[in-house]
């Protein structure tokens, strides 16, 4: 399975998990789980767009994007983007984005390993000593 397909599946699963968290829980748990899942979803998008990136780079890009969006809320987000990006800065969100990036990294590592599990022999047909 290609990493792009893996990313699409991870993204769909993340969206389903986010909808489930919102439907069956509430309060602080739902809010912070949503923050972490947002970053996991960004990891999935990064894998789809750039499937050859190492998992640590995928997680770093997703974390940087999530932090940038949160910090943008300090100066103000245009009204049309508020449903997607939020409107109010909340410092604890920065921590939960780290948690989401960690989960995204953990999910990206097996996806990367599956692709490289059986690399071709670099010197097929060459006698080994």
């Amino acid at each position: 399975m290609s990493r792009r397909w893996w990313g699409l599946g991870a993204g769909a699963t993340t969206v389903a998990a986010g909808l489930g968290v919102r439907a069956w829980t509430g309060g602080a748990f739902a809010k912070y789980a949503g923050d972490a899942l947002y970053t996991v979803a960004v990891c999935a998008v990064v894998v789809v767009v750039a499937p050859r990136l190492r998992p640590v780079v995928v997680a770093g890009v997703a974390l940087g994007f999530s932090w940038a969006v949160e910090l943008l809320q300090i100066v103000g987000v245009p009204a049309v983007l508020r449903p997607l990006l939020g409107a109010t800065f909340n410092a604890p969100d920065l921590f939960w984005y780290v948690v989401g990036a960690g989960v995204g990294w953990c999910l990206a590592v097996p996806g990367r390993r599956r692709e490289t599990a059986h690399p071709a022999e670099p010197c097929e047909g060459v006698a080994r000593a």
Side-chain angles (χ1 to χ4, degrees), residues 15 18 21 28 39 48 54 63 91-92:
V15 169
V21 165
T39 304
V48 170
R54 294 181 328 200
L63 178 60

Side-chain angles (χ1 to χ4, degrees), residues 10-96:
T13 303
T14 302
V15 169
L19 293 173
V21 165
R22 286 288 187 187
W24 292 302
T25 67
F29 178 81
K31 189 224 180 304
Y32 294 123
D35 290 339
L37 288 170
Y38 178 85
T39 304
V40 174
V42 175
C43 284
V45 170
V46 172
V47 168
V48 170
V49 171
R52 294 183 184 263
L53 289 178
R54 294 181 328 200
V56 70
V57 175
V58 169
V61 168
L63 178 60
F65 177 82
S66 298
W67 277 354
V69 168
E70 190 68 28
L71 295 173
L72 180 65
Q73 294 171 358
I74 293 173
V75 296
V77 175
V80 71
L81 295 176
R82 287 183 188 150
L84 181 63
L85 302 179
T88 307
F89 175 78
N90 186 25
D93 291 353
L94 298 172
F95 168 76
W96 291 103

